[in-house]
Amino acid sequence: MSLILSLATSAVTILSMWLVGKKHAAGWKLGLANQALWAALIIDRRAWGLIVLSAFLVVVYARNLWLWTRS
């Protein structure tokens, strides 16, 4: 399970960044949703230090999504 979760988290992160690079707001949405996978990975691996990073990324993704979609 851990390998699958790691690969899924990596793939979704790469895809979200690729979409952002292509100027698609969906990249921010996907990145925000991907934090649920990160949370599962953090719990699975007991990598508690990554919680701070994940929480910060939630704020960054939400802020950027808001900035990109407000018009």
Side-chain angles (χ1 to χ4, degrees):
M1 172 69 169
S2 187
L3 176 61
I4 293 170
L5 189 55
S6 296
L7 291 173
T9 304
S10 296
V12 175
T13 300
I14 291 166
L15 177 59
S16 68
M17 291 294 96
W18 184 80
L19 288 170
V20 168
K22 292 292 207 171
K23 301 188 184 214
H24 292 283
W28 298 118
K29 293 175 187 175
L30 186 59
L32 191 56
N34 190 35
Q35 293 315 299
L37 285 176
W38 273 103
L41 185 66
I42 289 166
I43 293 166
D44 181 61
R45 296 268 174 98
R46 292 177 167 70
W48 307 120
L50 292 175
I51 289 174
V52 174
L53 173 63
S54 186
F56 182 75
L57 287 175
V58 166
V59 172
V60 170
Y61 285 127
R63 176 191 172 274
N64 289 341
L65 178 59
W66 180 74
L67 289 173
W68 277 42
T69 56
R70 70 176 185 162
S71 296

